[in-house]
Structure formats: C-alpha cells, structure tokens
Amino acid sequence: MQYFVTGATGFIGKRLVKALLARKGAVVHFLLRRESEGKVAELLDYWGTTKARAVPVFGDLTGKKLGVSAEDLKSLKAAGIDAVFHLAAIYDLKADAESQIAANIDGTRNVVEFAKAVDAGHLHHGSSIAAAGLYEGVFREDMFDEAENYDHPYFNTKHESEKIVRRESKVPWTVYRPAFVVGDSTTGEMDKIDGPYYFFKLIQRMRQLLPPWFPAIGLEGGRLNIVPVDFVVACNDHIAHSKADVKGKCFHLVDPIGYRVGDVLGIFSKAAHAPKMSVFVNAALLGFIPKSVKKGMMALAPVRRIRNAVMKDLGLPEDILEFINWPTRYDRRDLDAALKGSGIECPNLNDYAWRLWDYWERHLDPDLFIDRSLKGTVGGKVVLVTGGSSGIGLAAAHKFAEAGAITIICGRDQDKLDEACKEAKAKGYSFVAYPADIADMADCDRFTQLLVANHGGVDFLINNAGRSIRRAIESSYDRFHDFERTMQLNYFGCLRVTMGLLPSMAAKRKGHVVNISSIGVLTNAPRFSAYVASKAALDAWTRCASSEFADVGITFTTINMPLVRTPMIAPTKIYQNVPTLSPEEAADMIAQACINKPVRIATRLGIFGELLHALAPRVAQISMNTTFRMFPDSAAAKGDKSAKPQLSPEAIAMQQLMQGIHF
C-alpha cells in the first residue's frame, strides 16, 4: 500500500510510520520542510528502511495543497495513495492562538485539498478529545456539534479542524480522538512536556522538601484521560486497515477507566517516591465563586504576580487551572467494537507510570538543561569576598577563582592579602586584592567606589567579614564597646558595602548577595548577645531588601552558618574539642548559595532551634540556660589568657550532642 503522512517527524507520526512500514510492501511518503532535509538520514535509521520505502515529499503544512510542487502532486497521484494520515498539528496548551490557527485549522484545510488533488483513497485525521471542548457529561463518538466550552485556542482549533474534515473533505474520512498522550508504556519515551507532565515538577519539589512518609495534601478535580503513545499508534494502524467500514466514523482513543486529577497525582507521586497524597481538596468547591469575582481577583497586581511567579517556577501553563475540573467523560463503544479480537488494550496507568517518571527525570526535567556547576554560575563573573584573606572567606575565594570567576578579596592586613594572592598563584589562578577596613565607613565608600570604577561593580557579593565575641552579658557591664564594634563591622560595615554596590547591580538588573549569618540567630545562643544581635539585624535588613529588589533581578541568600574552625574562634579553647565545620565545608555552602540562590541556608539543627523557640519558648530558654551555666566564659573573655578550660563530664557530653551550636 501507498501512504502519505503529515507530522511524520512528530512524536506520534514517527511511530505510526514505523508501524506502517512493518506491513509488507508498504511505501510511506511523508511531508517534510525543505530546511529539514538534514533529518532524513536520522529518520530512515529510526525506521530501519531506505528512501525507496520512506520517501520525503518537500512542502509546508501552511501552504496550499501542502506546498507540494505540481510535479510531486502528479507523481503521487500516479503512485495511487491509498491513505493519507494527517497527524501534523500543534499539541501544546502553551502555544499562542495565531500559530495554532495556522497549523491546526489552515493546515487541515490544506491537507483536505491535497488529498483530493492526489485522489487519495482515504483520509485519516488525527483529532483530539479537545474537539469536544469542556462538555458537561458523557461525550459519545458520534457527537460533534454538541461540543461546548471550547473557547481556549487549542480546543477551538481542534474542533474547527475536525469540522473541516467532516464538511469539506471529498475523500472518505475517519477521525481519531486520542486522550492526553503520554510516553511509551514500555520505555517511557516522550518528546516534550505536556498534559500530566506539567505536574511532575510540583511532585519533584514535594519529594525534595518532604520525607516519603509525610502525608501530603493533593488537589482533587475532574477526570483526566491519559493514554500511552504506543496504544494510540496501535489503534490508528489497526483501524485504518480494518475490514470493517470505518468511513465517516470517529473513534475515541481513550482509557476506559479515566482517573481523577487526585488519582493521577497520587499515581505519579508513588512512581516518584514522593510523599503520598492522603488528603485531597476538591477544586470544585471553588465553583461557587462567580467568574466575574475570580477574574477581578486575578486582576489584582499582587495576586497576579504571585500566581505568575509560582506558575513560572513550576513550569505550568497560565491557564492549566481551568482544566483541573475537567467535566467530560468519553464513550468508546465504537473503539471497543473495532478493537475486538485484536488484542490491543490500553495499559493501566499504575503499571507504567514509573517508566514515564523515570524517563522524564532522566531526559526531560528542565533542570537537566541548566548548568548547576559553580563554573557555569560564576565563570567570567565578578565575585567579591569580604574578609577573604583567611578562614571561610579565603576558602570560598579559592573555589570561585578555580571556577573561573574574577575573584576580589579584601582585608585589613596587607601581609595576609599578599600571602593569599601568592597561594592562589601557586594553584594556577589569581585573586584581585584590595586593602579595606569594612568597619570604617569612609573606607567602605572608598572601596566600593573603586570597585565600580575598576570592575563596573560586582555580580556576586559575599559579605563574610565579621567579628565574634563570646562573653556573658554579666561580664560585659563595663564593656559596651564590645557591642558597638561588633555592630560596626557585622551590620553597619556590611550594609555600607552592600548599599555601595546595589546601584550598579540595579542598573544591570542582576546580582546576588550572600550574607554570612550565624546559627546563633536561630538558636539565640547565650554568651553571644553582641554577635547574634548584629547578625540578627543583618538578617532582618536582608529580608526587607529582598522584598524591595525582588522585581529588579537582585537576589539575597542568608546562610545561618554553624560553628566553623577558623582563627575567629581560636581564643575560645573549649571549641578545640567541639565538632565544627572546616572552612572548605563552609565554602561549599557559599558556593551552593550562589548556584541555587535560595532565600536561606540553614542546618536542620538550626531550624529545630528556631522552631523550638517559636513553639515552646520557655522550654528553649531553659535548654539554652542549662548550656549557659554548663559552659563558662573562656579565659580570654575573663581576661586570663593562661588558664585552661575546665569542663564537666556533662558539658563534654552536651557539646558532642549539640554539634555546631555556639556555647
């Protein structure tokens, strides 16, 4: 038999052509744009055939008679085309109306004209259940004009294209209405994100945030009908070659079961090893709200911006929520009759959902195509690390420079800066070092002006320079300067540098600020009132700034850093036996802050401390007071530099238990 196929390079068409070529003596002519001629070799390899049996016909779906030359039309007519399969269309809820009209409506009309021009024996039209619109109730295969609520461009163009076939085709026709087509039930293979795949990113986020045993809340709605591509192809192939009379008939290629939205989410959550959705909120409950009210609410700028941000983050089409309460069910009695005795059955979604998920996560997940490496993030960018001559700052500077960033470090000690630069040079890269005292406001201004003049500002700012003081309040009555100098560096100095660089970031509409805070802000660590207060002030300012600059392209990350073994904690001898992070581990946290740009990075212990203070403040106070009395001031804090720390067995056990918390 001689076949002509449009959409042969598409997801369904490519597989249908392979099925047709499996028939003895079959020759498939397929429509191909001239600029896609380079795809022919790959297609022939996929089909396992030659040009003698798979013949490209150059043209364009949007051209009259498919833009096929008069010579090719004559040749095809002479060959005797037994069947035309029209599968070329835009199957995408995100596509704009203009492109859908051109492909789905105009393209179908051109196919109808083409089929007549070559005297084709039969026209097999690939429609969709969308042709029924959002019909309330059961939509039968013999129904068409009864369709309703098909205002959406995709629904409208699928309805109108089927109407053209029904009313304008001079060639006998058959219509196929597949449901939401997903990947192959045996391999999981899919070519794009569409239909239920839009929810996969949401499920993945749930898996990342919650343990698998955690009961999650899901969304309940109407019934979504999902079918794998191999089932759709098998139905097309079988019915087109059936001995039964299929002229003028329509077949619903649907799952006989059909699953509610909540069931679909649950099935794929199980496949993804994500939290099971145990409680469902029925989206239909919102149906009582008049459309005018909902439209008015969505017109409000804050609501619209939040909605758009969430939808964009999850990769969801703007109007997908309109289809949650899908009201239509599909009768398939004609399909059942046509498939009787063929052995063709729609696989159960529960049996192949894991294959779909696995293929998506390995090949289609949008995050796979984002360079999440530090080099991809900061390569060629200007990164400033304050306090970069030692400790955490120096370790982070090495990571940035190694990743190809223009790494700027600053510090008060020129000798330390020189030593850091020498160390970097020995490793094969370089630092740009500036002497600067972040505690001096005038020097901060000089420094930031110099950075703007020499480098055009910075792309990443790591506010790492800081001062820590471990001393009880009762030992600080006559040391108010401890609070002043801590606040001067940790808060005012940090702000001075940040605000000096923000204008250049705002002008470029991009930039990221990482503020090194402390776990003590979350746990309210005693003996660190000066240090924690300065970092808490910085955290509060950051939260305000992040809201103000959210629409300017400037983002902020606060790292509530646990205890790190640096020169800053050296005077406190008891920390010699306390489990701490290495500067390199702390630098890894800073790198992740730059790559992923989260609002906050904190350890589980820090978050637990914050929750405890929020939910049971008295219990938290008693716990922290116990540690306060258990761990005395250091000898340095008392002014005695010779004394050795004396810890009770209980204190030693406690410090091992509460790793990384400041005592």
Side-chain angles (χ1 to χ4, degrees):
M1 293 184 70
Q2 300 280 331
Y3 305 97
F4 186 90
V5 180
T6 70
T9 61
F11 184 60
I12 300 175
K14 192 163 67 171
R15 288 159 177 78
L16 178 60
V17 170
K18 192 170 187 175
L20 296 175
L21 288 170
R23 294 183 174 272
K24 188 177 180 180
V27 177
V28 178
H29 308 263
F30 62 98
L31 185 68
L32 192 70
R33 290 193 297 262
R34 178 65 68 175
E35 55 267 31
S36 299
E37 188 173 1
K39 295 181 179 180
V40 172
E42 183 182 347
L43 288 168
L44 294 177
D45 182 64
Y46 177 83
W47 294 325
T49 189
T50 64
K51 276 190 177 181
R53 296 189 64 206
V55 185
V57 178
F58 297 104
D60 193 309
L61 186 67
T62 60
K64 294 291 183 181
K65 299 178 184 178
L66 301 178
V68 176
S69 68
E71 184 180 349
D72 284 340
L73 285 173
K74 185 178 179 180
S75 176
L76 289 167
K77 186 174 182 179
I81 300 299
D82 297 289
V84 173
F85 288 88
H86 177 41
L87 298 172
I90 292 179
Y91 299 92
D92 194 343
L93 293 176
K94 290 183 177 181
D96 61 274
E98 186 177 348
S99 61
Q100 292 194 65
I101 291 172
N104 297 352
I105 297 179
D106 298 340
T108 299
R109 181 168 281 112
N110 296 331
V111 169
V112 168
E113 292 176 351
F114 169 85
K116 175 61 179 174
V118 300
D119 288 337
H122 204 105
L123 172 60
H124 298 274
H125 174 61
S127 183
S128 165
I129 57 172
L134 295 176
Y135 180 83
E136 296 278 352
V138 178
F139 202 82
R140 301 190 310 273
E141 291 159 298
D142 61 351
M143 294 170 66
F144 177 75
D145 293 325
E146 295 85 352
E148 58 187 21
N149 300 320
Y150 52 89
D151 298 330
H152 187 277
Y154 178 67
F155 287 62
N156 181 264
T157 56
K158 297 307 292 184
H159 182 85
E160 292 300 318
S161 62
E162 186 174 323
K163 183 187 292 185
I164 290 170
V165 172
R166 289 174 174 271
R167 298 184 180 180
E168 299 180 21
S169 178
K170 305 301 182 186
V171 173
W173 54 265
T174 302
V175 170
Y176 306 83
R177 295 180 189 153
F180 287 107
V181 182
V182 295
D184 192 288
S185 65
T186 57
T187 65
E189 186 180 359
M190 182 58 167
D191 67 341
K192 65 185 179 81
I193 295 174
D194 196 17
Y197 289 90
Y198 286 129
F199 296 106
F200 280 22
K201 181 55 67 176
L202 173 64
I203 294 171
Q204 188 186 61
R205 294 285 174 82
M206 289 175 56
R207 187 183 67 186
Q208 292 169 347
L209 294 172
L210 302 171
W213 49 264
F214 195 88
I217 298 176
L219 188 66
E220 189 61 277
R223 290 185 178 272
L224 292 182
N225 207 287
I226 297 169
V227 290
V229 65
D230 47 307
F231 172 72
V232 173
V233 169
C235 289
N236 269 269
D237 182 42
H238 176 77
I239 294 172
H241 298 91
S242 173
K243 294 181 180 180
D245 184 12
V246 297
K247 296 177 182 177
K249 286 191 174 184
C250 174
F251 297 94
H252 281 160
L253 311 185
V254 298
D255 189 319
I257 301 174
Y259 300 90
R260 291 195 175 276
V261 171
D263 295 330
V264 173
L265 292 174
I267 291 170
F268 284 115
S269 294
K270 182 180 179 181
H273 301 286
K276 182 181 178 182
M277 296 182 186
S278 306
V279 180
F280 291 94
V281 178
N282 196 332
L285 293 173
L286 301 177
F288 72 92
I289 302 176
K291 288 186 178 180
S292 58
V293 175
K294 286 190 282 188
K295 188 176 180 180
M297 288 180 62
M298 294 310 304
L300 297 173
V303 177
R304 188 175 65 254
R305 287 188 62 190
I306 292 172
R307 176 182 181 272
N308 292 344
V310 172
M311 301 297 274
K312 183 180 179 180
D313 186 50
L314 296 175
L316 299 173
E318 292 186 5
D319 46 11
I320 193 171
L321 297 179
E322 298 178 18
F323 309 126
I324 294 297
N325 290 316
W326 197 282
T328 317
R329 300 182 68 178
Y330 304 94
D331 177 75
R332 47 167 272 171
R333 277 174 285 187
D334 287 344
L335 177 69
D336 289 335
L339 297 181
K340 189 175 182 180
S342 67
I344 300 172
E345 295 181 356
C346 183
N348 190 298
L349 182 60
N350 287 281
D351 296 333
Y352 67 92
W354 67 271
R355 293 191 177 94
L356 302 181
W357 176 270
D358 184 71
Y359 189 89
W360 173 85
E361 199 159 41
R362 292 176 184 270
H363 303 279
L364 297 177
D365 182 0
D367 286 349
L368 295 174
F369 308 100
I370 301 174
D371 191 345
R372 298 286 185 184
S373 67
L374 186 60
K375 184 176 181 179
T377 303
V378 303
K381 304 292 180 63
V382 180
V383 180
L384 168 62
V385 184
T386 66
S389 59
S390 65
I392 298 173
L394 181 58
H398 279 295
K399 283 190 176 294
F400 291 128
E402 191 176 7
I406 302 169
T407 306
I408 302 171
I409 62 173
C410 70
R412 293 179 298 172
D413 193 323
Q414 185 64 58
D415 292 337
K416 287 186 177 180
L417 291 173
D418 293 340
E419 184 63 30
C421 291
K422 184 179 178 181
E423 185 180 333
K425 187 177 181 180
K427 292 185 177 183
Y429 43 79
S430 62
F431 296 151
V432 180
Y434 289 92
D437 185 358
I438 305 301
D440 185 328
M441 301 297 100
D443 206 33
C444 284
D445 293 342
R446 176 198 62 80
F447 177 48
T448 55
Q449 290 168 12
L450 197 61
L451 291 175
V452 174
N454 293 350
H455 306 279
V458 303
D459 299 296
F460 293 85
L461 167 59
I462 316 299
N463 281 313
N464 168 73
R467 172 181 284 113
S468 176
I469 296 178
R470 181 183 182 272
R471 182 176 284 113
I473 296 174
E474 60 187 7
S475 300
S476 305
Y477 294 149
D478 59 348
R479 296 184 61 88
F480 192 76
H481 62 277
D482 284 351
F483 297 88
E484 291 178 317
R485 62 180 182 157
T486 306
M487 187 67 73
Q488 186 71 11
L489 176 58
N490 295 358
Y491 181 61
F492 291 117
C494 180
L495 258 61
R496 199 77 170 201
V497 172
T498 305
M499 294 176 71
L501 296 171
L502 278 175
S504 59
M505 288 183 177
K508 294 183 288 187
R509 299 189 69 82
K510 62 179 181 179
H512 187 63
V513 180
V514 179
N515 290 326
I516 308 302
S517 183
S518 168
I519 192 175
V521 175
L522 306 179
T523 61
N524 303 303
R527 284 197 171 82
F528 284 90
S529 59
Y531 178 67
V532 168
S534 66
K535 291 297 187 180
L538 180 61
D539 288 9
W541 182 90
T542 303
R543 291 194 296 272
C544 296
S546 60
S547 299
E548 292 188 25
F549 289 94
D551 61 341
V552 185
I554 302 174
T555 50
F556 296 78
T557 296
T558 295
I559 301 180
N560 294 112
M561 192 72 72
L563 199 61
V564 181
R565 192 165 300 282
T566 66
M568 189 171 70
I569 71 168
T572 307
K573 302 301 181 183
I574 65 172
Y575 286 157
Q576 293 178 356
N577 301 314
V578 175
T580 57
L581 295 183
S582 68
E584 289 71 27
E585 290 173 319
D588 286 336
M589 296 175 72
I590 296 173
Q592 288 304 311
C594 293
I595 295 171
N596 300 315
K597 299 178 176 62
V599 174
R600 184 177 73 171
I601 295 178
T603 62
R604 293 179 178 177
L605 190 60
I607 294 172
F608 173 76
E610 185 179 35
L611 285 172
L612 188 62
H613 278 281
L615 300 176
R618 181 61 66 185
V619 174
Q621 287 177 358
I622 293 171
S623 300
M624 298 311 290
N625 180 260
T626 302
T627 63
F628 171 71
R629 297 302 179 190
M630 194 176 291
F631 297 91
D633 275 349
S634 66
K638 295 176 180 178
D640 184 3
K641 297 183 179 179
S642 61
K644 295 182 179 180
Q646 298 293 325
L647 296 180
S648 66
E650 293 84 0
I652 295 173
M654 179 64 74
Q655 70 180 10
Q656 293 294 325
L657 179 64
M658 304 181 72
Q659 297 182 20
I661 288 187
H662 299 172
F663 301 120

